[in-house]
Amino acid sequence: MDLMEKIVSLCKRRGFVYPGSEIYGGLSNTWDFGPFGLALRKNIKALWWREFVEKEENILGLDGGIILSPRVWEASGHVENFTDPLVECKSCHTRFRADQLGDTKKCPDCGGQLSEPRRFNGMFRTTVGATEDSNAVVYLRPETAQAIFINFKNIVDSFHPKLPFGIAQIGKAFRNEITAGNFIFRDIEFEQHELEYFLPEAIWEEKYDYWLAKMHDFAKLIGLAPEMVHEREHSPQERSHYSKKTVDLEFDFPFGRKELWGLAYRTDYDLRNHSEKSGVDLKYEGSFPHVIEPSMGVDRTMLAVLCSAYFEDEKRVVLKLQPSLAPYKVAVFPLVANKEELVGKARGIYEKLKKSFMTAWDDRGNIGKRYLSQDEIGTPWCVTVDYQTLEDDTVTIRDRNTTRQERIKVANLETWIKERLV
Ligand code: ATP
């Protein structure tokens, strides 16, 4: 099994990621997140929000809708430009993105002849209302950003922030990808963390560098090795229709070096267009603010985190997750399950720790198996209540990465964990 297969299999077995609609034979490129996947994503998103919103000055949050007026996507240029060049094999009918195939005119799967490329819009369409006439066509948003631009005036009217300031959002986005795949790297329904940072044009370069550095810092914070994260600037041909400069942060995934996150300088493109098309004046402090946009997919972040954390040797499989991201921070075990005093004491510790941390309880099998089980889901510390606990109120605490144990006072447990929870 290669590394990706091992990760996919661990994710399914241990309740991180399940294939979508599996009991009906599955639906390609859709995934459901189990209890631990949900916890890991929640922790990633909370950390992002802390770093990009709460620790910054002048960043406000928004939770905009998934379905917006179709006029939004006309004004933003997505109806016209959010397209990929699609080619189809005339023999096996597999579809590819022409820009990802290079110069070849042959199907990479069967060698058949490829069709001429045609433009394929990546937005999902649906209809609103009881009739299916064309007036009722709406799109599922392919990025969260537009809800921010169309609420720009609402936010400035309520908060009167001074430029530069930002509006941040975390939410679902949908893209009808021609070639999805590689587990949760490219799915058709995913989540994004996005920040639109509004500023006077004169300072865009300085702020661009600031947010780029911040993205590198975030990569370190979630446990990605800096030597596996690379900057790649888009050529003018490759850039999105709204961007004047885009740098991708690419990550060395097991299947190659690929885009993890993007940082775009969107200029005043969006506010200017929405102003023109809506007739509502979106100028602020005398002109259209310019925009720097860090756009960071939750799913790709989660995959990079899992790939970085996965470790195995002949004895065990371990997810060496940053403690702040781990689903459980600590697990509590009685040494044996059939000694009432041990179980009672351990339950007391479990119930107390549970008030402060996500805490697991396990009294099945033997201690060794319980350690291995927690290692696989990335629990940083395991606390064992043994006979000595009953005498001197100390427990052993085992470190996931080193497997070393130390003995500490029960009274100090909470502080001990808090000090190490980064
Ligand atoms: P790609 O070139 O890989 O298709 P993109 O350049 O279209 O990506 P952006 O439009 O810059 O992606 O989207 C911002 C971020 O959203 C990406 O950096 C990525 O983290 C995430 N993202 C985009 N498309 C997907 C997808 N289909 N599945 C999962 N995450 C995605």
Side-chain angles (χ1 to χ4, degrees):
M1 265 207 273
D2 70 14
L3 179 58
M4 272 312 292
E5 286 169 345
K6 286 177 183 168
I7 290 172
V8 173
S9 142
L10 173 77
C11 281
K12 173 152 199 281
R13 193 162 42 82
R14 297 306 311 269
F16 283 85
V17 187
Y18 302 123
S21 309
E22 201 183 10
I23 65 165
Y24 286 102
L27 178 65
S28 297
N29 308 305
T30 64
W31 304 94
D32 295 324
F33 297 101
F36 294 145
L38 160 72
L40 176 57
R41 292 168 79 77
K42 210 167 121 234
N43 294 339
I44 290 172
K45 289 186 273 186
L47 190 63
W48 187 88
W49 198 258
R50 190 153 63 92
E51 291 300 316
F52 283 79
V53 180
E54 292 167 1
K55 280 195 184 169
E56 289 289 330
E57 215 176 323
N58 259 349
I59 310 283
L60 299 153
L62 182 79
D63 193 1
I66 284 172
I67 297 175
L68 310 175
S69 161
R71 292 182 58 199
V72 172
W73 305 107
E74 283 158 23
S76 69
H78 281 79
V79 171
E80 171 75 17
N81 296 311
F82 193 68
T83 55
D84 286 320
L86 176 147
V87 288
E88 189 171 325
C89 172
K90 290 180 179 165
S91 308
C92 71
H93 301 288
T94 309
R95 292 168 156 198
F96 303 94
R97 260 172 67 174
D99 59 323
Q100 290 177 345
L101 287 182
D103 292 334
T104 181
K105 293 268 176 289
K106 296 254 176 290
C107 170
D109 284 2
C110 75
Q113 206 195 340
L114 294 174
S115 67
E116 282 304 307
R118 68 179 167 89
R119 276 155 48 116
F120 175 81
N121 195 296
M123 285 195 293
F124 281 104
R125 285 152 61 109
T126 185
T127 53
V128 172
T131 57
E132 285 210 10
D133 64 24
S134 61
N135 291 335
V137 166
V138 291
Y139 303 97
L140 303 188
R141 65 181 182 205
E143 58 173 28
T144 61
Q146 294 304 324
I148 295 178
F149 297 126
I150 62 171
N151 278 289
F152 180 78
K153 192 166 179 332
N154 285 331
I155 298 269
V156 297
D157 286 351
S158 311
F159 296 89
H160 310 288
K162 287 236 171 325
L163 289 173
F165 71 91
I167 304 177
Q169 169 159 320
I170 300 178
K172 290 258 180 184
F174 304 82
R175 295 184 187 182
N176 196 359
E177 299 276 4
I178 296 170
T179 47
N182 281 326
F183 195 33
I184 54 172
F185 175 80
R186 190 182 298 285
D187 23 27
I188 56 177
E189 171 180 348
F190 55 99
E191 268 184 291
Q192 294 181 310
H193 320 90
E194 287 195 311
L195 168 65
E196 308 306 317
Y197 192 69
F198 299 95
L199 75 180
E201 184 177 4
I203 61 168
W204 81 265
E205 276 164 309
E206 168 202 332
K207 292 296 178 188
Y208 195 96
D209 293 344
Y210 174 83
W211 290 109
L212 191 57
K214 183 98 185 183
M215 289 161 84
H216 280 289
D217 289 346
F218 190 70
K220 272 187 234 144
L221 213 55
I222 57 174
L224 311 192
E227 63 275 14
M228 294 179 81
V229 177
H230 314 271
E231 288 180 14
R232 189 181 69 81
E233 183 163 353
H234 286 204
S235 67
Q237 295 75 26
E238 189 191 355
R239 279 200 301 259
S240 303
H241 58 279
Y242 49 73
S243 173
K244 216 163 163 182
K245 174 172 175 160
T246 298
V247 173
D248 285 345
L249 287 197
E250 298 188 327
F251 179 74
D252 293 323
F253 288 100
F255 43 86
R257 186 173 293 180
K258 301 270 187 239
E259 172 176 344
L260 174 63
W261 306 322
L263 180 66
Y265 170 39
R266 292 181 85 122
T267 69
D268 61 356
Y269 176 91
D270 298 275
L271 289 182
R272 184 182 285 280
N273 271 305
H274 285 306
S275 237
E276 276 168 21
K277 305 279 170 16
S278 68
V280 176
D281 184 7
L282 299 178
K283 286 207 193 78
Y284 192 57
E285 296 181 4
S287 59
F288 290 113
H290 281 232
V291 171
I292 308 279
E293 177 198 62
S295 181
M296 302 160 75
V298 175
D299 306 63
R300 284 189 196 176
T301 307
M302 177 178 174
L303 183 56
V305 163
L306 286 168
C307 295
S308 302
Y310 189 93
F311 165 90
E312 65 177 4
D313 61 17
E314 57 291 342
K315 292 204 200 79
R316 60 186 192 139
V317 170
V318 193
L319 285 186
K320 294 188 175 176
L321 296 168
Q322 296 295 99
S324 63
L325 299 185
Y328 286 125
K329 310 306 175 200
V330 55
V332 180
F333 314 142
L335 181 66
V336 287
N338 55 3
K339 283 276 177 304
E340 224 172 89
E341 298 128 282
L342 289 183
V343 175
K345 182 77 188 164
R347 283 299 296 183
I349 294 172
Y350 164 70
E351 272 151 28
K352 184 147 186 297
L353 289 180
K354 220 169 142 45
K355 296 201 173 95
S356 303
F357 314 104
M358 277 290 287
T359 306
W361 169 263
D362 195 357
D363 59 4
R364 297 163 306 172
N366 64 41
I367 283 282
K369 285 210 178 109
R370 295 181 212 156
Y371 284 149
L372 294 184
S373 168
Q374 294 298 325
D375 284 346
E376 272 195 342
I377 58 168
T379 308
W381 302 291
C382 292
V383 169
T384 301
V385 168
D386 56 17
Y387 294 104
Q388 195 178 325
T389 314
L390 303 179
E391 284 161 25
D392 63 5
D393 224 26
T394 61
V395 285
T396 62
I397 187 155
R398 171 192 180 265
D399 181 274
R400 173 199 69 199
N401 290 6
T402 62
T403 74
R404 272 201 296 275
Q405 298 177 28
E406 59 178 289
R407 208 165 244 290
I408 63 171
K409 283 248 169 247
V410 171
N412 296 340
L413 254 180
E414 205 169 317
T415 321
W416 190 99
I417 296 167
K418 271 201 181 118
E419 278 168 5
R420 287 160 181 81
L421 200 56
V422 285

